Amino acid sequence: MLGPDSRLLTALLITASAALLVATVRLRPLPAKALCGALSIMVAMTGGIAAVNYYYGYYTTWGQLSADFGGGAGSLGVITATTSATALGSGHIGWVQFPGKLSGYSRRGLIYLPPQYSQARYAHLRFPAVELFHGTPGTPLAWSTVLRVGQVADSLLARHLTGPMVLVMPAINGTGHSYQDCVNGPAVNDETYLLKDVRNDVLARYRVSHDPYEWGAGGYSSGGYCAANLALRHPGSFGAAAVLNGYFRAADGPAAGALNNSPSLEAANSPLYAAEKLNPNSSPLPAFWVAAGTNDKADYPAATMFTAAMNRVQQVPFVKLNAGDTANVWSAALPAALTWLWQQLAPPDLRVQFPVRATARGLISTIPVPPVKAHYPGPCVPAKRPGPAVLPCGKLPLGQAKKA
């Protein structure tokens, strides 16, 4: 099938671009030459995007691509506070509108309710909650279509590795190319929306804990930056933060543009700089967990520096992943992140009600990142490349291009 991650699609687009370029040279009428030249550039750009998607395998179906960039709902329905579990032992994930009275924003997001949420014996229980932030570009739908967060949470619950948590997945950006990455800037109120509006809305409509220390933050790529930045700027609002391959300086990602490239605003919204200012007498902080791909040359060094700075005031688990900033890295780290978040956020009574079998990892550990299966089965020749992420053959790891 000619999917968005098809090698054939990439080849066809490159061939079409080359044909249009030849036509541009050979045709004599100026309007025809201009049209073919413009089309050649457009098709070449599309081919480049297809090549990147083939390399990383981020979108494997046209439905994923259309839903993520077109604002579609995928196969998910709308979820309400009275929605019941879809099947025995399964939670429910779906869309919800998060209006923002303080920020002026109103965006759709996803919410995951664990199976216990709709069970009568837990009708008076308030659950720990985690805000999960997606990457840029992207939408909350990637948590479902790419990282399969609902299935992961259900599996962890079934294996008694976590207890039940409500997972809240808001949109961190505006429409189009309005990348805000969870900051307040000269013309954006994303921090206010995510920190206050979304939480107030969830507290008003769902049975979640009112204790801020039973709320966590987590995110991948740009969303990892969001989790680290919000948790350090508002330490009394979170009990824990899990950072999956995030960036740690505003200047290194889309946040810089949202802050109008202001040096003072960038400094105030850079988790690395905030961590370096901490000392043993600093106010209590959320617990931190960091995972970083060793092949991510841009952000891995900053992740190690951030962890080292935080280690002066708390012990931060640091997970190494043998790949770059790709979706299979995030998927590999997500179960460990959710397991750790439960251990940090669950109050004593819930720990008794939902005992877990999880064993603690060391402060520094490594999670192997499995390669994506090859497009075409059968024998093939291994790629001769150095580094720990060499694949036996076929397609390179699932993921997405570097943060814009």
Side-chain angles (χ1 to χ4, degrees), residues 63 84 130 152 156 189 265 349 352:
S84 60
V130 179
V152 171
L156 293 173
N189 296 313
L265 291 178
D349 58 327
V352 174

PDB file of all heavy atoms in Angstrom, residues 63 84 130 152 156 189 265 349 352:
ATOM      1  N   GLY A  63      -4.457   8.349   7.681  1.00  0.00           N
ATOM      2  CA  GLY A  63      -5.367   8.809   8.727  1.00  0.00           C
ATOM      3  C   GLY A  63      -4.630   9.522   9.846  1.00  0.00           C
ATOM      4  O   GLY A  63      -5.078  10.553  10.356  1.00  0.00           O
ATOM      5  N   SER A  84     -18.091   5.650  30.746  1.00  0.00           N
ATOM      6  CA  SER A  84     -17.678   4.414  31.415  1.00  0.00           C
ATOM      7  C   SER A  84     -16.601   3.727  30.604  1.00  0.00           C
ATOM      8  O   SER A  84     -16.365   4.036  29.440  1.00  0.00           O
ATOM      9  CB  SER A  84     -18.875   3.478  31.587  1.00  0.00           C
ATOM     10  OG  SER A  84     -19.423   3.144  30.330  1.00  0.00           O
ATOM     11  N   VAL A 130      -2.028  13.457  35.678  1.00  0.00           N
ATOM     12  CA  VAL A 130      -0.787  13.831  34.997  1.00  0.00           C
ATOM     13  C   VAL A 130      -1.143  14.598  33.733  1.00  0.00           C
ATOM     14  O   VAL A 130      -1.943  14.128  32.923  1.00  0.00           O
ATOM     15  CB  VAL A 130       0.057  12.594  34.620  1.00  0.00           C
ATOM     16  CG1 VAL A 130       1.324  13.035  33.880  1.00  0.00           C
ATOM     17  CG2 VAL A 130       0.419  11.784  35.859  1.00  0.00           C
ATOM     18  N   VAL A 152      -0.876   1.583  26.777  1.00  0.00           N
ATOM     19  CA  VAL A 152       0.239   1.493  27.721  1.00  0.00           C
ATOM     20  C   VAL A 152      -0.265   1.590  29.160  1.00  0.00           C
ATOM     21  O   VAL A 152       0.110   0.796  30.029  1.00  0.00           O
ATOM     22  CB  VAL A 152       1.281   2.600  27.443  1.00  0.00           C
ATOM     23  CG1 VAL A 152       2.325   2.659  28.555  1.00  0.00           C
ATOM     24  CG2 VAL A 152       1.958   2.350  26.103  1.00  0.00           C
ATOM     25  N   LEU A 156       0.003  -1.333  32.027  1.00  0.00           N
ATOM     26  CA  LEU A 156       0.687  -1.129  33.309  1.00  0.00           C
ATOM     27  C   LEU A 156      -0.241  -1.438  34.482  1.00  0.00           C
ATOM     28  O   LEU A 156       0.179  -2.025  35.489  1.00  0.00           O
ATOM     29  CB  LEU A 156       1.206   0.304  33.400  1.00  0.00           C
ATOM     30  CG  LEU A 156       2.328   0.680  32.427  1.00  0.00           C
ATOM     31  CD1 LEU A 156       2.627   2.172  32.520  1.00  0.00           C
ATOM     32  CD2 LEU A 156       3.587  -0.127  32.707  1.00  0.00           C
ATOM     33  N   ASN A 189      -0.387  33.259  25.711  1.00  0.00           N
ATOM     34  CA  ASN A 189      -0.736  32.962  27.105  1.00  0.00           C
ATOM     35  C   ASN A 189      -0.799  31.451  27.344  1.00  0.00           C
ATOM     36  O   ASN A 189      -1.664  30.951  28.059  1.00  0.00           O
ATOM     37  CB  ASN A 189      -2.100  33.578  27.460  1.00  0.00           C
ATOM     38  CG  ASN A 189      -2.091  35.092  27.398  1.00  0.00           C
ATOM     39  OD1 ASN A 189      -1.189  35.735  27.925  1.00  0.00           O
ATOM     40  ND2 ASN A 189      -3.086  35.652  26.732  1.00  0.00           N
ATOM     41  N   LEU A 265      13.406  36.983  28.695  1.00  0.00           N
ATOM     42  CA  LEU A 265      12.329  35.984  28.765  1.00  0.00           C
ATOM     43  C   LEU A 265      12.855  34.584  28.516  1.00  0.00           C
ATOM     44  O   LEU A 265      12.406  33.617  29.149  1.00  0.00           O
ATOM     45  CB  LEU A 265      11.236  36.326  27.752  1.00  0.00           C
ATOM     46  CG  LEU A 265      10.406  37.578  28.044  1.00  0.00           C
ATOM     47  CD1 LEU A 265       9.396  37.828  26.930  1.00  0.00           C
ATOM     48  CD2 LEU A 265       9.688  37.444  29.387  1.00  0.00           C
ATOM     49  N   ASP A 349      -2.835   6.109  50.983  1.00  0.00           N
ATOM     50  CA  ASP A 349      -4.033   5.260  50.945  1.00  0.00           C
ATOM     51  C   ASP A 349      -4.202   4.581  49.589  1.00  0.00           C
ATOM     52  O   ASP A 349      -4.634   3.418  49.518  1.00  0.00           O
ATOM     53  CB  ASP A 349      -5.276   6.080  51.296  1.00  0.00           C
ATOM     54  CG  ASP A 349      -5.494   7.263  50.366  1.00  0.00           C
ATOM     55  OD1 ASP A 349      -4.495   7.834  49.893  1.00  0.00           O
ATOM     56  OD2 ASP A 349      -6.662   7.621  50.118  1.00  0.00           O
ATOM     57  N   VAL A 352      -1.876   1.609  49.244  1.00  0.00           N
ATOM     58  CA  VAL A 352      -2.403   0.414  49.908  1.00  0.00           C
ATOM     59  C   VAL A 352      -3.478  -0.244  49.042  1.00  0.00           C
ATOM     60  O   VAL A 352      -3.520  -1.474  48.900  1.00  0.00           O
ATOM     61  CB  VAL A 352      -2.967   0.779  51.292  1.00  0.00           C
ATOM     62  CG1 VAL A 352      -3.664  -0.424  51.929  1.00  0.00           C
ATOM     63  CG2 VAL A 352      -1.850   1.276  52.204  1.00  0.00           C
TER      64      VAL A 352
END
